[in-house]
Amino acid sequence: MNNYIVQLIVIALGSSLISNVVLSQFLGLCPFLGVSKRVKTAAGMGGAVIFVITLASLVAGLLYEFVLEPLGITFLKTIVFILVIAALVQFVELFLKKYLKSLYKALGVFLPLITTNCAVLGVAINNVNLEYDLLTGVVNGFATSVGFAIAIIILAGIREKIEFNDIPKPFQGMPIVLVTAGLMAIAFCGFAGLI
Amino acid sequence: MKQCLERLYNGIIKENPTFVLMLGMCPTLAVTTSAINGLGMGLSTMVVLALSNLMISALRKIIPDKVRIPAYIVIIATFVTLVELLLHAYVPVLHESLGIYISLIVVNCIILGRAESYASKNKMMPSLFDGIGMGLGFTIALTIIGLVREFLGAGTVFGFSGPDLYGAPLPELLIGLINRWLDPNSLSESVRFWNRVLTDEIASFGPMSIMIMAPGAFFILAILTSVQNVVKEKGKKNGKDVSKIQSGCNSDCMNCKDSGCSKSLTETEEKESLQPVAAEPEDTVKVSGSKDAADKEAKEHCDNEAIEQCDNEAGEHCDNEEKEVNVEVKEPADTDGDNEAIATDADAEITVHIDNAGKKENTTKEEQTGKKDKAEGTDKKKHKKTLLEVTQEIDIVELEELLGEEEEGNADE
């Protein structure tokens, strides 16, 4: 039991900081670069991603364990996962709109963006490939999305700071953001010594 | 046939998905640690792209419009699964090194984007060639990026290192060749010095392994986008149509409608979910500054670039927004009270800042009357210009707000 908890913590640290989902696995780059102009929006996106990925890894894990494996159709996992995730995001959107207005206001705009976010599908497939059990999978999903939120909020903070800096003309706009992301990736490499 | 060739040219050069459109950046960055990986990924994507384009084009009259996105996703996912199983069976090494990214071809923006913007509207043969062209463009781009990263980061080309060929790592070999070609006596002192330093550096440190690590990918992409910026600038000066350059996800995720990022499952849902972005009152945005930055980003995007840039669908979107903006400007102009009512908590913060400057009443009123005049005085032709001015005003307000925050921070210290 103790061992299991230690293993969970190691996995959580590993997927949130050491092999960060954006900065070292390059999943979910579109929202990472596209929705990081302001810290507030970035936080909203981060929140939405945490919410969706955790839920999606739970649902995908359940489906894999209780439907795909018993039926022996695990090779269909890509199709099943992407459809389930897309449907789930829509469902979550409708649910929030109806019952949790305040949460919908905060996250609603971002939900459609997450439908085809590769981070969500990536986590679900990773969980299966690495043969995580259900709880480990959910913890991994949560940690991964927290890693995403950390990265996007930090990037948004830096972008706000450098917005009016004197940047060489060719590097204005996207290039300087990418350089920033690269420097952040170097910084995150430092976490490799954590475990 | 002519159309098919045109499609190939379009995909490889004119609308190259990586170098021009900047789509599908996740796999581009992730798998280009070596040229062979880039080539493998590109070819897998090409197969999926071509076959799914063909299938979607064949079924375009059968698939109901409302559920087309899920239908496309199923078709694409099917082909991805096929390719993955084939790779696993016949090229296990490549399957191993590409790993999860093969499955993730499903969510590659290029594929859904092409399905939506080309295959669903055109006949089968052109769609097939569109897929092949786009796929080839993607393959070429990935291979080139992989080649550069591999050469700089590992000193090899397609896995062949210098020792296999001449007994030295490739960069060193290159420097050696240049040195042999240059006559050392003809060089000036400083050039000789730097030449020696460079040679020593490369000999002692070996290749820049950061280039094949994660940060290197970002730096390579940064250089690529900066080159794009220069090309775009030059093209604009020469009066060329540069609207396609970088129209992918990278500039603004909220607006990337036609590249498949922000697709909802069904059409109605999409419209509903977009409404909050489009219908947000201009006034709230103006006063509350960063309250809903997404909205403003969207608007700025539309005002500054998108009028020329967006193609049909997105362009309509922008137009709608503009109209709504105008209406909203007129309405709340008469009283301050109205304005307070719309404003939210975020507004309160900014109001404080403006208060600090001691000119809250004046600024807001002046601004509003100014806007009102402008809004009323416009007809459709002047529309664009006024909107640009208004956006500039927003920028000024934003600047003030930022300055205010800084001042406050200083005061705290």
Side-chain angles (χ1 to χ4, degrees):
Chain A
M1 190 61 205
N2 238 350
N3 252 349
Y4 187 69
I5 292 173
V6 171
Q7 195 200 340
L8 280 188
I9 294 174
V10 169
I11 286 177
L13 273 178
S15 49
S16 62
L17 295 176
I18 297 162
S19 58
N20 186 287
V21 64
V22 217
L23 295 173
S24 86
Q25 293 187 55
F26 305 106
L27 301 180
L29 266 182
C30 284
F32 179 66
L33 299 173
V35 204
S36 58
K37 267 193 183 162
R38 293 276 172 281
V39 171
K40 248 188 182 169
T41 17
M45 188 71 196
V49 167
I50 291 178
F51 190 74
V52 169
I53 290 191
T54 313
L55 206 60
S57 51
L58 175 69
V59 172
L62 281 173
L63 259 177
Y64 191 78
E65 207 164 322
F66 296 109
V67 180
L68 295 184
E69 255 183 344
L71 292 177
I73 47 169
T74 50
F75 63 88
L76 285 179
K77 61 177 190 284
T78 314
I79 304 180
V80 172
F81 285 176
I82 183 75
L83 280 182
V84 166
I85 288 166
L88 182 78
V89 174
Q90 289 264 292
F91 177 73
V92 166
E93 201 182 339
L94 290 180
F95 181 82
L96 290 184
K97 207 185 222 169
K98 183 104 182 161
Y99 296 108
L100 293 165
K101 273 272 160 60
S102 54
L103 199 60
Y104 179 75
K105 260 187 192 160
L107 308 182
V109 198
F110 306 108
L111 285 173
L113 293 179
I114 302 176
T115 317
T116 52
N117 183 340
C118 37
V120 188
L121 185 64
V123 169
I125 292 177
N126 244 344
N127 283 343
V128 169
N129 283 354
L130 297 172
E131 290 172 0
Y132 287 158
D133 60 32
L134 198 59
L135 181 63
T136 320
V138 174
V139 168
N140 182 37
F142 179 73
T144 307
S145 49
V146 167
F148 178 86
I150 292 173
I152 196 173
I153 291 171
I154 293 178
L155 182 72
I158 299 175
R159 278 182 79 170
E160 278 189 1
K161 284 278 173 208
I162 61 172
E163 195 174 359
F164 299 110
N165 280 14
D166 188 19
I167 297 160
K169 196 145 195 237
F171 274 85
Q172 279 169 10
M174 210 21 80
I176 194 68
V177 178
L178 288 165
V179 170
T180 314
L183 293 176
M184 278 171 65
I186 294 180
F188 270 70
C189 282
F191 286 118
L194 208 60
I195 297 179
Chain B
M1 199 61 222
K2 207 177 162 194
Q3 197 185 2
C4 295
L5 283 177
E6 188 269 328
R7 280 289 98 196
L8 283 183
Y9 172 74
N10 182 60
I12 297 170
I13 312 258
K14 227 169 100 195
E15 287 183 30
N16 188 299
T18 306
F19 291 143
V20 181
L21 296 181
M22 298 288 280
L23 290 178
M25 278 300 128
C26 302
T28 307
L29 292 186
V31 304
T32 51
T33 47
S34 70
I36 200 81
N37 278 357
L39 187 66
M41 184 72 195
L43 288 178
S44 321
T45 311
M46 187 184 89
V47 171
V48 175
L49 191 52
L51 291 178
S52 64
N53 257 8
L54 185 70
M55 188 69 120
I56 287 165
S57 170
L59 296 177
R60 69 185 187 280
K61 283 174 189 153
I62 303 170
I63 298 173
D65 205 37
K66 277 199 165 174
V67 292
R68 64 183 198 286
I69 302 289
Y72 297 165
I73 290 178
V74 171
I75 293 171
I76 294 165
T78 311
F79 286 118
V80 169
T81 309
L82 278 179
V83 166
E84 190 185 358
L85 292 176
L86 284 174
L87 279 181
H88 202 161
Y90 294 106
V91 206
V93 185
L94 193 63
H95 184 265
E96 185 83 2
S97 64
L98 293 182
I100 190 178
Y101 296 100
I102 303 175
S103 314
L104 291 181
I105 295 175
V106 181
V107 282
N108 195 327
C109 291
I110 303 170
I111 300 183
L112 203 54
R114 286 329 281 179
E116 176 78 352
S117 66
Y118 196 88
S120 60
K121 292 168 194 148
N122 289 283
K123 285 186 183 147
M124 280 170 75
M125 274 324 261
S127 296
L128 175 67
F129 276 88
D130 183 72
I132 294 175
M134 280 281 161
L136 272 182
F138 191 61
T139 310
I140 291 168
L142 251 61
T143 313
I144 291 175
I145 296 176
L147 208 62
V148 171
R149 282 183 70 187
E150 189 189 342
F151 179 71
L152 292 177
T156 58
V157 171
F158 277 104
F160 293 111
S161 60
D164 294 349
L165 302 170
Y166 301 102
L170 278 172
E172 207 177 317
L173 196 75
L174 206 69
I175 290 280
L177 281 177
I178 293 172
N179 281 352
R180 199 178 300 169
W181 175 59
L182 290 171
D183 181 14
N185 296 327
S186 69
L187 297 174
S188 70
E189 187 58 38
S190 62
V191 172
R192 237 184 303 172
F193 172 75
W194 283 114
N195 189 12
R196 205 168 55 236
V197 167
L198 211 65
T199 317
D200 287 355
E201 286 289 299
I202 287 172
S204 56
F205 287 111
M208 304 182 266
S209 52
I210 197 174
M211 275 305 171
I212 50 171
M213 288 161 65
F218 284 112
F219 294 140
I220 289 278
L221 192 65
I223 293 167
L224 203 65
T225 42
S226 64
V227 171
Q228 271 188 333
N229 274 354
V230 174
V231 171
K232 203 173 174 183
E233 199 67 24
K234 270 196 179 156
K236 247 184 209 165
K237 253 182 211 162
N238 297 340
K240 274 183 195 159
D241 175 33
V242 287
S243 59
K244 284 285 177 193
I245 295 180
Q246 259 185 55
S247 63
C249 300
N250 280 1
S251 52
D252 193 341
C253 229
M254 294 295 185
N255 273 334
C256 96
K257 279 191 74 193
D258 64 339
S259 46
C261 264
S262 60
K263 284 283 185 285
S264 283
L265 271 184
T266 55
E267 185 70 354
T268 43
E269 285 308 314
E270 192 176 292
K271 272 175 192 160
E272 262 175 39
S273 64
L274 274 168
Q275 251 169 17
V277 179
E280 185 79 20
E282 165 84 334
D283 200 52
T284 323
V285 174
K286 219 167 279 169
V287 183
S288 62
S290 65
K291 186 218 134 202
D292 205 335
D295 275 5
K296 208 160 45 170
E297 272 168 34
K299 255 166 214 155
E300 276 172 11
H301 182 77
C302 287
D303 291 341
N304 297 338
E305 304 156 24
I307 290 168
E308 306 109 28
Q309 279 200 10
C310 294
D311 36 28
N312 309 334
E313 204 183 0
E316 273 170 31
H317 175 66
C318 292
D319 280 346
N320 287 341
E321 237 171 38
E322 278 179 55
K323 274 167 206 160
E324 259 159 313
V325 167
N326 234 350
V327 175
E328 294 297 341
V329 172
K330 277 178 200 167
E331 266 182 87
D334 31 16
T335 47
D336 239 3
D338 240 292
N339 178 18
E340 296 296 350
I342 304 168
T344 49
D345 49 343
D347 173 29
E349 286 173 28
I350 289 106
T351 326
V352 173
H353 296 317
I354 302 174
D355 235 344
N356 280 346
K359 50 182 179 179
K360 176 208 159 192
E361 287 281 325
N362 293 340
T363 23
T364 29
K365 266 184 185 167
E366 267 171 27
E367 260 179 45
Q368 276 181 356
T369 40
K371 274 166 223 156
K372 192 184 171 189
D373 290 346
K374 275 171 201 161
E376 281 173 354
T378 46
D379 52 11
K380 272 187 182 174
K381 280 179 187 172
K382 286 183 183 172
H383 207 76
K384 245 189 244 173
K385 197 184 160 193
T386 323
L387 264 163
L388 271 176
E389 281 167 13
V390 173
T391 346
Q392 277 162 6
E393 269 176 45
I394 298 176
D395 283 345
I396 291 165
V397 173
E398 201 179 7
L399 246 170
E400 271 179 6
E401 172 198 317
L402 275 168
L403 286 175
E405 262 168 46
E406 255 172 41
E407 272 168 25
E408 205 182 44
N410 289 339
D412 282 351
E413 280 168 18

